[in-house]
Amino acid sequence: MTPFLRATLASPLALAMALPALAEYGPVGSDLYTLEVETVAEGLEHPWGMVFISDDRFLVTERNPGTLRTGTVDGDLSAAIWEVESLFRHEGETGRSQAGLFDIVLHPDFDENGWIYLSYSRETDRGAAVAVIRATVVEEDGDVRIEDVEDIFVMKEDDQDSSGLHFGGRMAFDASDNALFLSIGERRNVSRAQDASDQAGSVLRMTDEGEPHGDNPEFATDEDDENPGSSDPYLFSIGNRNIQALGMHPTTGELWAADHGPLGGDEINLIVAGNNYGWPFTTGGTDYSGAPMGVGTAMEGMIPPVHIFEETMAPSGLSFVPVGTQFADWTGNMLIGGLGAEGIVRVRLEEGSVSDEEVIEIGRRIRDVQIGPDGAIWLLTEHEDGEVLRLTPEG
C-alpha cells in the first residue's frame, strides 16, 4: 500500500512557487445558465472515475497506472494511496488501449460500512478480465487509507481475452436492495453481445458481495433442443456495445445508460431486466469504414434506443441532477460526459422520451460527471494531464 501523502517541510512561498498555474477556462454558455468553470486540480494520469466520501474530500481513479488518489474541494491532491495488483494494460499506444482502473462507487450504506467498489481490467492467463474490488475506506487523523481489499467479481475464464478495447467498466448501485450493476463491453467482438452465455456486451447485476442477483432474468441461448444451454446468471441485459455511462434516476429508480455507437449511433437506453438492446443487429451508426451495419434501428425482439444522437458524443459518465443543487432549472435532467463532444451533454427526459438536448462545450474530453455535495457539477477530463473541474452558475 502506498502511504498517504503527508505535508512536506517547505515554506508556503516555496510551495507556491513550485506549483504550476492551473488551467483557466472562460465562462461557458448553456440554455438557462452561464457556467463558471474552475480548475480545482490537475496532473492526474487519465482519470476515469471519482466519488465524494465527505463534503470536502473525494477519491479519484487513474486508469493507466491503476492508482487511487484523494483530493479536496480546495484543490489538494494526494499521491497514490492504493494501487491495483495484477492490472492489465494492453501494450502499445495509449489511444489503442482502454484497459486499466475504471470506475469507483460507494455502497449505499457507506457511512456505516465504509465500503467502496472499483472496477478494473485484471491480468489473467487468458489476457484480461473485467473485475470488481470491494475495499474499506478508513479516515484517521486527516489521512485516508484503504483496507480489506478483495476481488468480489472476476469475469469468468471462458469470457476473458487479450483485447485492449471495450471493457465497459461503469457501475451503479440500486439503493433499494443494494444491487450492484456493472457494464462490460463486447471487447470489440460484436457477436459476443448476442451470446447469452457470455458476460461481454451486457449489463450485469450482482449483490454487494459479488454474487449473481437472485432475481436476474433468463435469456434464450443458441444451444439446440438436444443440448439446452442456460444464460449467464449475472446477466441483466444483453445487446449492449460498450456502456461507459450508467446511472440510477434519483426519483424513479430506473437504470439509464448511454452507449457508444460505432461510427455515429451513440444512444440512450432505459436498461430493464431481460431486454436485448440489439447490438450489432440494430444501430444508428455505421462501421468505421463507412459501410452499413445491421438492419437499422429496429428489429423484432430487440429494444430500440430511447434516443440516438445525431453526432458522435462518445459518452462516458452519467449523473442526474437531484433536487437541491445550484442548478434548480435542470432538476431531473441527465448529464453525460462527452469524450468526443469535449463537454457535457444535457438531456431532459419526459415520460421516457428525450424532450430537450444540448451540448455544453468545455473544450476538453470529459470522462466522468458527478454532482458534488455543494450542489455544483464536478467533471474529470480524460487526458494524461487530467483535471478536476467544478461548474457553477455565473453570479
Side-chain angles (χ1 to χ4, degrees), residues 3 7 23 34 117-118 126 130 152 166 169-170 178 208 217 356 391:
T34 298
Y117 293 73
L118 301 110
R126 295 174 63 99
V130 178
I152 63 165
H166 292 195
R170 195 63 75 176
N178 293 341
D208 57 4
D356 186 29
L391 275 58

Side-chain angles (χ1 to χ4, degrees), residues 183-303:
S183 67
I184 300 183
E186 31 77 304
R187 310 292 280 109
R188 285 290 280 147
N189 183 340
V190 297
S191 63
R192 298 182 66 177
Q194 291 298 322
D195 184 350
S197 66
D198 195 331
Q199 293 173 342
S202 65
V203 174
L204 310 186
R205 180 171 62 168
M206 65 189 75
T207 70
D208 57 4
E209 300 284 343
E211 298 297 321
H213 194 283
D215 290 334
N216 280 342
E218 285 280 345
F219 291 87
T221 66
D222 292 333
E223 301 289 341
D224 58 44
D225 293 338
E226 296 182 358
N227 298 287
S230 59
S231 60
D232 187 278
Y234 281 95
L235 294 186
F236 187 76
S237 71
I238 64 173
N240 307 114
R241 184 172 183 264
N242 185 31
I243 293 174
Q244 294 180 336
L246 190 69
M248 301 292 297
H249 193 288
T251 303
T252 66
E254 298 168 331
L255 182 67
W256 287 84
D259 200 354
H260 287 266
L263 183 60
D266 296 341
E267 60 187 44
I268 294 175
N269 290 297
L270 173 60
I271 306 297
V272 176
N275 279 358
N276 182 340
Y277 291 91
W279 176 256
F281 297 132
T282 61
T283 177
T286 65
D287 184 74
Y288 290 108
S289 68
M293 292 192 68
V295 298
T297 58
M299 183 176 176
E300 184 177 357
M302 298 181 182
I303 306 300

Side-chain angles (χ1 to χ4, degrees), residues 51-54 59 104-111 113-117 137 171-173 180:
V51 67
F52 280 87
I53 58 174
S54 66
L59 298 174
I104 178 170
V105 294
L106 304 183
H107 189 279
D109 298 325
F110 173 79
D111 290 343
N113 58 34
W115 286 346
I116 59 171
Y117 293 73
V137 175
M171 296 184 290
F173 258 109
L180 177 64

